[in-house]
Amino acid sequence: MSILNSIDVAAKYIREGKLVAFPTETVYGLGANALDPMAVAKIFELKERPSFDPLIVHIASIHQLQDLVLNTDERVHKLTEKFWPGPLTMVLPKSNIVPDIVTSGLPTVGIRMPSNEIALDLIRISDCPIAAPSANKFGRISPTTAAHVRKQIPNVDYIIEGGKTTVGIESTIIKLTDKGFQILRNGIITQEELETVVPFDGETAIEKLSAPGMLKSHYSPRKKLLIADSSSLDLDKSKAGLISFSGEVENGFCKVIRVSDRKDLKDYAVNMFEAMHSFEDDNEIELIIAEPVCETGVGRAIMDRLRKAEFNWRQA
């Protein structure tokens, strides 16, 4: 593994079929040439990711979108004009050049254009679309710094150091239907924002596992994590860390990380995974408690991540 400051060198390795971890505005991605099935297979192997979980393809131009999908209608153009580059992934019918391994055999592919300049430059200089899930072991905490990548997948070929990500949670994923759009994964771009462009379809059944992040368990630390409620707040706090938002339930905890000084949900999203990593690495902490928020706007995405992070721990 090497940490590179040269995007030119990183792009060379992408073209050679190797894996490069790189920053986006959401989380760090583990990238490979999306048109090279053997390179994409290495992503699944290194992440220990099940083959039924499709990947997102990252592009740097609308021209690439037209190559990767069968057709785009006016709604797609309106959404790209408003939200791209940015943390929005659209699931669209794929063209034949997209290998089936990228889409887990589905006839659709998730595509987004990131706003992070390092990511865009890497795609442009590599001269290919880049398939990239989060740069971590499958099901574990998403990486928002290069250090998080090194901790979980130290044997990745190369890491581009790009500082801390600015959004902190994965992109919103949508799929268009005859009635409008469905949300397959909540993110920083909210339903309300999307509805200013396309109607929301709350009626059409959502296909299972048609996009990343749809499993019940995901984003999980190695230490027990629970969402704060009457039962979890009654547990012994002497070796517990609190991910705090309101500042109202901090008494008695061994350590507290407050994710926002101004009770801003976007701050929570930016700092949530970093707080999980911090407590996971802290030898004094045996239990992580995360404060819940109202499920409006960005709060939907936050609670989605917290529920999936605690899922296996709640079942234990």
Side-chain angles (χ1 to χ4, degrees):
M1 178 197 71
S2 298
I3 299 174
L4 303 174
N5 292 321
S6 170
I7 298 175
D8 290 327
V9 177
K12 175 177 179 288
Y13 289 115
I14 290 286
R15 293 193 296 272
E16 291 175 351
K18 296 178 181 178
L19 302 186
V20 172
F22 64 98
T24 76
E25 72 277 20
T26 58
V27 299
Y28 273 68
L30 179 63
N33 179 351
L35 305 183
D36 181 345
M38 296 301 293
V40 173
K42 294 177 185 177
I43 294 177
F44 286 91
E45 181 180 6
L46 185 59
K47 277 182 62 74
E48 300 172 5
R49 182 185 181 97
S51 60
F52 58 74
D53 199 12
L55 305 179
I56 292 172
V57 175
H58 296 70
I59 62 173
S61 72
I62 294 298
H63 175 72
Q64 287 178 307
L65 173 67
Q66 294 167 346
D67 290 340
L68 295 168
V69 302
L70 289 179
N71 52 68
T72 56
D73 60 31
E74 185 62 27
R75 298 173 300 171
V76 173
H77 297 302
K78 288 180 179 178
L79 288 163
T80 60
E81 285 177 4
K82 186 171 179 65
F83 297 109
W84 278 9
L88 176 68
T89 296
M90 284 187 279
V91 175
L92 301 165
K94 81 177 186 72
S95 71
N96 290 334
I97 72 168
V98 180
D100 286 343
I101 189 172
V102 172
T103 67
S104 299
L106 295 171
T108 54
V109 60
I111 299 181
R112 89 175 184 98
M113 186 187 296
S115 62
N116 180 285
E117 288 299 327
I118 293 175
L120 289 171
D121 285 345
L122 178 63
I123 298 164
R124 292 187 191 109
I125 298 170
S126 298
D127 196 28
C128 65
I130 294 181
S134 55
N136 59 335
K137 290 295 185 181
F138 180 75
R140 294 274 305 283
I141 312 171
S142 299
T144 58
T145 69
H148 298 159
V149 178
R150 291 194 296 273
K151 180 176 76 169
Q152 296 196 48
I153 48 171
N155 51 337
V156 63
D157 293 320
Y158 298 97
I159 300 174
I160 302 177
E161 171 64 68
K164 182 180 175 180
T165 62
T166 56
V167 172
I169 57 173
E170 296 80 2
S171 61
T172 304
I173 302 179
I174 65 168
K175 183 177 182 180
L176 295 175
T177 70
D178 291 340
K179 297 180 180 179
F181 73 92
Q182 300 172 321
I183 293 182
L184 306 184
R185 180 177 71 191
N186 283 290
I188 206 80
I189 295 176
T190 65
Q191 175 182 320
E192 291 80 6
E193 290 174 305
L194 291 162
E195 283 180 304
T196 65
V197 181
V198 177
F200 177 67
D201 177 5
E203 300 177 5
T204 305
I206 294 177
E207 296 178 31
K208 293 182 178 180
L209 300 181
S210 52
M214 295 183 73
L215 296 171
K216 290 182 178 180
S217 175
H218 215 56
Y219 319 112
S220 183
R222 291 173 297 171
K223 294 178 180 176
K224 186 171 187 176
L225 180 144
L226 298 173
I227 297 172
D229 59 16
S230 58
S231 60
S232 60
L233 290 174
D234 282 340
L235 297 173
D236 180 10
K237 300 185 184 73
S238 63
K239 294 185 178 180
L242 175 70
I243 300 175
S244 173
F245 180 67
S246 69
E248 296 171 2
V249 294
E250 295 180 353
N251 289 341
F253 283 91
C254 173
K255 292 186 179 179
V256 173
I257 296 176
R258 191 176 294 187
V259 289
S260 180
D261 293 328
R262 51 187 180 167
K263 298 183 181 179
D264 187 319
L265 289 172
K266 289 187 177 180
D267 289 345
Y268 201 149
V270 169
N271 295 310
M272 174 175 56
F273 286 139
E274 186 174 41
M276 289 185 193
H277 278 287
S278 179
F279 284 140
E280 181 183 67
D281 298 339
D282 191 326
N283 292 331
E284 295 183 31
I285 299 300
E286 295 180 357
L287 170 67
I288 305 168
I289 303 292
E291 186 175 353
V293 295
C294 293
E295 294 192 60
T296 57
V298 181
R300 296 190 193 100
I302 293 167
M303 291 307 299
D304 169 72
R305 293 344 185 252
L306 292 180
R307 287 199 183 96
K308 290 176 179 176
E310 80 156 359
F311 181 80
N312 284 337
W313 296 113
R314 279 284 183 191
Q315 310 307 306

